Amino acid sequence: MQSIAQVTESRLASPGMQGVDVLVVGAGLAGLRTACLLARRGLDVLVVDRRRSLSAGIRTTGIFVRRTLDDFDLPDHLLGPGIRDVLLYPPSRRAPIRLTSDRDEFRVADMAAVYRHARHEAESAGARVLLGVRYAGASAGLVRLAGAEPVTARFVVGADGARSRVARDLGLDLNRRFIVGAELVHPIAPGTTAPAFHCVLDPRIAPGYLGWAVDDGRHAHVGVAGYPAAMRGGVRRLLDAFAADAPGHAPPAGPVERRGGPIPVGGVLRRLACPAGLLVGDAAGAVSPLTAGGLDPCLRMSDLAAAVTADYLRTGDRSVLGHYDGNALRARFRGRLLLRRAFTGIRSPAAAEAAITVLRGRAGRALAARVLFGDGSFPDVRLDRVASGT
Ligand SMILES: Cc1cc2nc3c(=O)[nH]c(=O)nc-3n(C[C@H](O)[C@H](O)[C@H](O)COP(=O)(O)OP(=O)(O)OC[C@H]3O[C@@H](n4cnc5c(N)ncnc54)[C@H](O)[C@@H]3O)c2cc1C
């Protein structure tokens, strides 16, 4: 059997052209985490991202759930204070339901710093990261890059977000159901707010999802998300209207950062891998269809993706790719997909008021607490299922 280096060498299309074991497209959390784990396994890994800076074009609020914080090593100084209180508001904003956990359930991260940290981890493991470089297509192992020379890659990891070009080029499944989210980030004076997660159920501002206000102790994040077709006037107008009197925070003043983007809510895609590459993170639809949380799945799925990729490249055995199976993960999402449908059905303020009334009851509060404080954000991906995962 040829070694990784021999195989890579034989794939070089022309003298001087760079050949890598794995090209990771996208330096979001999924891409950087996968790259780091692959490099730690001794593979030659190149990461490219069209963003010129990891502090620009951020597409997340950065709320990490307890389960992620328990299972992954995120440096404490990158995270805001622990949040135990969730307030659920009806459209009238009157008498919110307060749910209080006896543990820290959420922490909002400084995401620019989280990406910098993830990049540092990947580079320390030996991966190279090129920013300002766009993946522009691939054929027969040759990858075209706008902003850099083409490379040959034995395997391509599509970590290029919700509308993945890599998925299309590899002939893998594509996300088809989206909500769109947008938020304002504005500075707040430290110590002026009590840590709490404010959620507003109001289809006029967030059809099919929620409006939210939460802070990391130094910045407030005020956002809305919903089905774009139902957002009359567009998400930006709804966000500005919501931010003007969002609960828990004063209207934004001074310089603000805007974040936003599509969020796939159709569940994990079925076909995620082929001999030329695989998908991780949003590109794989790895987002909880109910809560729209994607940061935990990014980390959890990347572990499995890296184990499968390394095993496949080491053995050349295509059956290894069968362990990266979207169908198996999807089966564990049925309940959440059903609840998403119920969420989508809340189309009027009256229906939202009624839903909040139901949640005020004992069973309703228990259900809300289970969704918000439970351990079920994303199915655990068991690495020991991989044949000879190292
Ligand atoms: C407004 C909003 C708020 C959210 N808040 C939360 C939250 O608080 N908690 C939570 O758990 N989830 C949240 N989510 C979801 C979560 O942020 C995402 O699921 C997660 O960040 C996806 O990470 P990723 O690495 O897969 O993709 P991304 O972070 O989108 O990274 C993809 C990268 O690929 C790059 N790229 C794309 N195309 C190319 C190309 N052709 N060439 C080179 N590079 C390319 C992009 O520049 C980008 O850097 C939120 C989503 C949105 C939109």
Side-chain angles (χ1 to χ4, degrees):
M1 188 187 300
Q2 285 176 302
S3 73
I4 285 170
Q6 284 168 328
V7 176
T8 305
E9 214 170 293
S10 69
R11 287 273 193 101
L12 291 181
S14 67
M17 186 172 289
Q18 196 188 160
V20 295
D21 291 324
V22 185
L23 175 75
V24 177
V25 181
L29 202 59
L32 289 168
R33 168 90 183 166
T34 308
C36 176
L37 297 175
L38 288 170
R40 281 184 190 159
R41 286 173 158 87
L43 291 160
D44 181 14
V45 182
L46 176 67
V47 185
V48 297
D49 198 296
R50 64 186 175 193
R51 290 192 288 161
R52 293 194 175 280
S53 156
L54 295 181
S55 308
I58 293 175
R59 290 178 166 218
T60 184
T61 307
I63 303 169
F64 284 86
V65 296
R66 174 175 42 78
R67 189 167 168 236
T68 324
L69 300 170
D70 286 349
D71 291 352
F72 297 91
D73 204 11
L74 281 163
D76 201 63
H77 68 275
L78 305 181
L79 300 161
I83 297 171
R84 297 178 173 210
D85 284 313
V86 177
L87 287 94
L88 292 173
Y89 297 76
S92 65
R93 310 275 176 95
R94 282 197 292 270
I97 303 171
R98 179 183 286 268
L99 297 159
T100 302
S101 172
D102 52 9
R103 303 177 284 194
D104 290 345
E105 295 290 349
F106 308 100
R107 292 179 77 179
V108 185
D110 172 351
M111 283 309 291
V114 167
Y115 292 128
R116 279 197 300 276
H117 171 76
R119 177 185 185 172
H120 175 75
E121 293 276 290
E123 289 180 330
S124 301
R128 283 165 296 151
V129 179
L130 293 180
L131 299 183
V133 173
R134 185 171 56 82
Y135 163 88
S139 50
L142 180 70
V143 182
R144 294 186 303 282
L145 298 173
E149 291 297 310
V151 294
T152 57
R154 298 176 62 208
F155 204 72
V156 177
V157 171
D160 53 337
R163 297 188 193 279
S164 167
R165 162 113 194 235
V166 173
R168 206 178 63 205
D169 290 355
L170 292 178
L172 297 172
D173 282 354
L174 301 174
N175 291 305
R176 302 204 183 277
R177 295 193 63 208
F178 298 94
I179 57 175
V180 61
E183 73 167 24
L184 295 171
V185 186
H186 58 98
I188 52 171
T192 56
T193 55
F197 189 4
H198 302 266
C199 301
V200 179
L201 187 65
D202 184 348
R204 291 169 302 184
I205 54 130
Y209 193 65
L210 296 165
W212 66 90
V214 67
D215 70 74
D216 59 18
R218 292 184 303 126
H219 296 95
H221 299 252
V222 177
V224 297
Y227 290 101
M231 289 180 146
R232 280 196 211 106
V235 66
R236 201 169 164 140
R237 192 186 64 78
L238 291 183
L239 173 61
D240 289 340
F242 177 62
D245 70 339
H249 292 93
V256 294
E257 178 191 343
R258 280 183 185 268
R259 298 181 181 179
I263 309 173
V265 289
V268 180
L269 299 174
R270 290 188 165 83
R271 197 157 175 264
L272 296 176
C274 67
L278 56 69
L279 308 175
V280 287
D282 276 13
V287 173
S288 165
L290 181 59
T291 64
L295 296 173
D296 183 79
C298 272
L299 297 173
R300 243 169 255 283
M301 261 190 117
S302 298
D303 286 12
L304 181 63
V308 166
T309 301
D311 217 19
Y312 168 61
L313 291 181
R314 191 171 54 78
T315 61
D317 176 1
R318 290 184 177 202
S319 72
V320 169
L321 297 170
H323 293 284
Y324 199 65
D325 178 11
N327 273 315
L329 288 167
R330 236 187 125 74
R332 292 145 85 183
F333 267 110
R334 269 189 214 117
R336 272 163 258 174
L337 283 163
L338 264 175
L339 282 169
R340 161 123 300 278
R341 238 173 263 157
F343 220 150
T344 310
I346 301 173
R347 295 219 169 101
S348 66
E353 293 283 350
I356 292 285
T357 304
V358 170
L359 293 178
R360 285 185 202 286
R362 218 163 123 192
R365 285 179 76 89
L367 173 68
R370 203 166 143 215
V371 169
L372 288 160
F373 303 151
D375 284 333
S377 68
F378 195 77
D380 233 335
V381 180
R382 300 249 317 266
L383 294 180
D384 56 9
R385 292 176 54 215
V386 180
S388 53
T390 42

